[in-house]
């Protein structure tokens, strides 16, 4: 419990530091966000009036304290470009990003574990080389390239799925596979290498001496210890998928957090970009906390260390 409280305190400090850094950086970038929003032909008096209404003419520390007070009250400000509360925009977009992330994580976890186990069972076989080659391809290729290739083949050429946009859950499958392929490759390679390493342990030799079959040894004895680092990676991957779907959502025109962030950058929409960045930071921090907690639950040695 003490270790968890310590990590929570560290998370609060990190979150506050990231919020301050983003707040300052967005305001020292050259250019006036209000003038950018209004256009080059906007009246100067209108720009000054809106600058005062949004509080951008106040000292920087006053703006930051006002922003923190609003965040603690659930108010992330109002979008300059869309004229709507940032919390409302993020709430609507987060649902789409969450569905995409859950499907991509399930694909990555299932395919990664299955391919890793099969490759370990059939070491140096054609199946092993095929699975590891595909996983290496997923790890090596950028997400945008995987997404565009799959979009061209399955949406444009074969017409199996819509080329862009989502109207039902099945429309998320292609973007989810594109987003989760790299994670699946990482998991598959980690499962394979961990299983092959565990096979060299003494308790595995004892199981062989008892006459157990090779598959039974790997699946019932070795896989449990193998899953310790894999579960940690899976927890971290989920947070990274949830906060890093910018490219996939943009390519497939999914109205999620990623696409909302791109819009905020293009429009110089400071409140919206701050809200998206803050949400992504919270997700990454939460993912790290979950990973640490899961590792301590699964490995008794870690529990002893953190006491």
């Amino acid at each position: 419990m003490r270790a968890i409280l310590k990590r929570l305190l560290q998370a609060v400090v990190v979150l506050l530091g990231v919020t301050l850094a983003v707040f300052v950086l967005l305001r020292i970038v050259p250019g006036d966000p209000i003038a950018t929003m209004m256009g080059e032909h906007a009246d100067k008096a209108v720009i000054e009036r809106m600058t005062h209404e949004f509080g951008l003419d106040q000292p920087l520390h006053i703006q930051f304290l006002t922003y923190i007070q609003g965040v603690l009250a659930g108010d992330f400000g109002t979008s300059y470009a869309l004229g709507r509360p940032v919390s409302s925009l993020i709430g609507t977009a987060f649902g789409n990003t969450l569905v995409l992330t859950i499907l991509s994580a399930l694909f990555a976890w299932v395919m990664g574990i299955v391919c890793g186990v099969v490759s370990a069972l059939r070491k140096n076989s054609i199946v092993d080389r095929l699975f590891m080659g595909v996983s290496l391809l997923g790890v090596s290729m950028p997400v945008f390239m995987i997404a565009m290739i799959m979009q061209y083949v399955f949406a444009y050429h074969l017409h199996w799925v819509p080329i862009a946009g989502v109207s039902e859950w099945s429309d998320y499958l292609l973007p989810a596979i594109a987003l989760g392929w790299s994670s699946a490759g990482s998991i598959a390679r980690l499962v394979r290498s961990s299983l092959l390493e565990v096979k060299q342990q003494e308790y595995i030799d004892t199981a062989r001496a008892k006459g157990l079959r090779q598959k039974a040894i790997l699946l019932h004895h070795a896989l449990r210890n193998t899953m310790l680092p894999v579960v940690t990676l899976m927890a971290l991957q989920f947070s990274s998928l949830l906060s890093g779907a910018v490219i996939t959502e943009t390519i497939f025109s999914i109205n999620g957090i990623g696409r909302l962030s791109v819009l905020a950058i293009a429009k110089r929409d400071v409140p919206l970009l701050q809200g998206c960045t803050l949400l992504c930071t919270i997700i990454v921090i939460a993912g790290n906390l979950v990973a640490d907690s899961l590792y301590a639950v699964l490995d008794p040695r870690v529990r002893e260390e953190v006491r």
Side-chain angles (χ1 to χ4, degrees), residues 186-202:
S186 300
I187 292 175
R189 300 181 73 82
L190 179 59
V191 170
R192 179 185 182 275
S193 61
S194 298
L195 271 177
L196 294 178
E197 182 180 353
V198 169
K199 283 175 61 177
Q200 310 300 321
Q201 301 297 321
E202 293 181 356

Side-chain angles (χ1 to χ4, degrees), residues 12 61 74 99 127 146 217 224 231 250-251 284:
V12 172
H61 67 280
V99 173
V127 174
I146 296 175
I217 294 173
R224 181 177 179 181
V231 168
T250 302
I251 292 176
V284 172

